[in-house]
């Protein structure tokens, strides 16, 4: 029987609804980049990652690193629906004195593997973790979600070169390729050209997918560590900023804005609430 992916679709829809409510209430931003990533996050946490509330200290677990840490509200919501953090903790987002900051923080929030903020570091932290797993004989893979604007950072390319040099086949770098960053399109800010070919030239196994097609996301993730056993994998996930809310899609301002009450109502209606 063919997989209809309804469980992933329902999970992603719930996450989008809750993220919109959180950001409406808190006036926090980055909903556009969160929405472009939610389908990827939903596939990872419902079908791929060996991560539960019980195994967060198991060295053989999979590891997920959110390098584009400004979409913390989206990851917190995923963790809540996954049962890794209490759902009630979502009320603590960006509240003074609480641990749920606008950028993800390690140690204070269960399931967060790296404190984020300055971009370009997730791939390097992921390399260290993947290399440590191999040296110490631990199983499990390391998955890093990055933004395409983040790939302007030279550290990303050092990471790719290093990962290939040490044949880190247990490392998967995922690029949320929504083609918009803080101050314009990726072409306007710093044209990276053929990103897939660049990663290949650094020695990585690269494939491109539709980052909103659950079948493509799942297939690429499930085969990424087996396709070329001695090579790290980079998945270029072509996405739409603001995906899921028609008035936000491909709109730069939703990197910064939060939905007001009227816009929240539109989002929830379009998502079926």
């Amino acid at each position: 029987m063919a997989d209809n992916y309804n469980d992933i679709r329902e999970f992603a829809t719930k996450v989008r609804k809750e993220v919109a409510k959180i950001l409406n209430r808190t006036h926090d931003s980055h909903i556009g980049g969160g929405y472009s990533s939610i389908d990827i996050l939903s596939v990872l946490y419902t079908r791929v990652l060996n991560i539960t509330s019980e195994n967060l200290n198991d060295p053989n677990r999979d590891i997920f690193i959110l390098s584009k840490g400004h979409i913390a509200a989206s990851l917190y919501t995923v963790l809540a629906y996954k049962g890794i953090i209490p759902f009630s903790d979502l009320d603590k987002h960006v509240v003074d004195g609480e641990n749920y900051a606008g950028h993800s923080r390690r140690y204070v929030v269960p399931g967060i593997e790296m404190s984020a903020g300055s971009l370009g570091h997730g791939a390097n932290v992921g390399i260290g973790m993947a290399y440590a797993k191999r040296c110490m004989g631990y199983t499990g893979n390391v998955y890093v979600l990055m933004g395409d604007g983040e790939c302007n950072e030279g550290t990303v390319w050092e990471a790719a070169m290093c990962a290939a040099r040490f044949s880190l086949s247990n490392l998967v770098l995922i690029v949320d390729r929504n083609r918009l960053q803080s101050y314009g399109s990726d072409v306007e800010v710093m044209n990276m050209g053929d990103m897939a070919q660049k990663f290949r030239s650094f020695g990585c196994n690269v494939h491109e997918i539709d980052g909103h097609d659950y079948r493509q996301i799942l297939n690429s993730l499930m085969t990424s560590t087996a396709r070329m056993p001695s090579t790290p994998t980079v998945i270029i996930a072509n996405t739409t900023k603001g995906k899921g809310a028609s008035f936000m899609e491909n709109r730069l301002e939703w990197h910064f804005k939060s939905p007001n009450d009227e816009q929240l109502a539109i989002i929830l209606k379009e998502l079926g609430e």
Side-chain angles (χ1 to χ4, degrees):
M1 182 177 179
D3 194 332
N4 59 18
Y5 307 105
N6 280 343
D7 60 321
I8 306 173
R9 186 173 295 106
E10 291 171 4
F11 187 93
T13 298
K14 289 192 297 183
V15 171
R16 282 191 168 92
K17 290 178 182 178
E18 193 61 33
V19 168
K21 294 175 184 177
I22 292 170
L23 300 185
N24 165 260
R25 182 179 71 250
T26 63
H27 306 294
D28 191 17
S29 55
H30 303 304
I31 191 171
Y35 271 28
S36 66
S37 300
I38 282 173
D39 293 320
I40 299 166
L41 291 170
S42 297
V43 174
L44 279 164
Y45 277 89
T46 61
R47 296 291 192 89
V48 177
L49 296 174
N50 173 29
I51 300 174
T52 68
S53 58
E54 289 77 31
N55 75 349
L56 295 179
N57 295 314
D58 183 349
N60 294 300
R61 72 191 183 283
D62 289 329
I63 291 173
F64 173 74
I65 295 172
L66 180 64
S67 192
K68 48 178 292 184
H70 48 283
I71 67 161
S74 295
L75 180 56
Y76 297 151
T77 305
V78 168
L79 294 175
Y81 277 113
K82 181 68 175 174
I84 293 174
I85 63 172
F87 196 84
S88 59
D89 276 13
L90 297 179
D91 292 336
K92 301 176 182 178
H93 182 61
V94 298
V95 172
D96 285 348
E98 298 291 351
N99 293 322
Y100 291 84
H103 288 73
S104 51
R105 298 170 62 201
R106 193 181 177 184
Y107 299 119
V108 296
V109 177
I112 300 297
E113 301 279 4
M114 185 191 83
S115 295
S118 181
L119 294 170
H121 299 304
N124 298 278
V125 173
I127 285 171
M129 291 181 170
Y131 189 72
K133 275 182 174 288
R134 190 175 72 185
C135 289
M136 301 180 75
Y138 295 138
T139 59
N141 300 312
V142 179
Y143 300 84
V144 181
L145 179 61
M146 308 183 294
D148 51 358
E150 180 176 2
C151 292
N152 295 163
E153 301 281 359
T155 50
V156 170
W157 302 99
E158 292 180 49
M161 181 169 56
C162 184
R165 161 64 181 82
F166 291 102
S167 304
L168 297 180
S169 57
N170 58 344
L171 177 70
V172 181
L173 305 178
I174 307 162
V175 180
D176 176 14
R177 189 83 163 100
N178 63 33
R179 292 180 167 77
L180 288 172
Q181 56 193 88
S182 298
Y183 301 109
S185 72
D186 61 338
V187 172
E188 294 169 330
V189 176
M190 179 110 30
N191 190 352
M192 301 297 292
D194 188 338
M195 190 176 291
Q197 184 53 41
K198 278 187 169 60
F199 275 110
R200 289 190 185 99
S201 72
F202 278 77
C204 299
N205 169 39
V206 183
H207 48 109
E208 296 188 78
I209 63 168
D210 178 342
H212 302 299
D213 184 310
Y214 300 127
R215 180 188 61 81
Q216 291 187 38
I217 300 169
L218 182 60
N219 286 348
S220 65
L221 289 168
M222 295 300 288
T223 60
S224 59
T225 55
R227 188 169 297 177
M228 294 181 67
S230 64
T231 311
T233 293
V234 177
I235 298 172
I236 308 292
N238 292 292
T239 62
T240 300
K241 194 151 192 156
K243 180 68 173 180
S246 59
F247 65 91
M248 290 197 305
E249 292 186 357
N250 285 316
R251 303 286 300 186
L252 175 63
E253 62 264 31
W254 290 102
H255 188 88
F256 306 99
K257 292 176 63 176
S258 54
N260 60 30
D261 291 347
E262 180 181 355
Q263 291 163 336
L264 174 63
I266 294 171
I267 292 171
L268 296 179
K269 182 178 180 180
E270 290 187 353
L271 292 173
E273 182 169 313

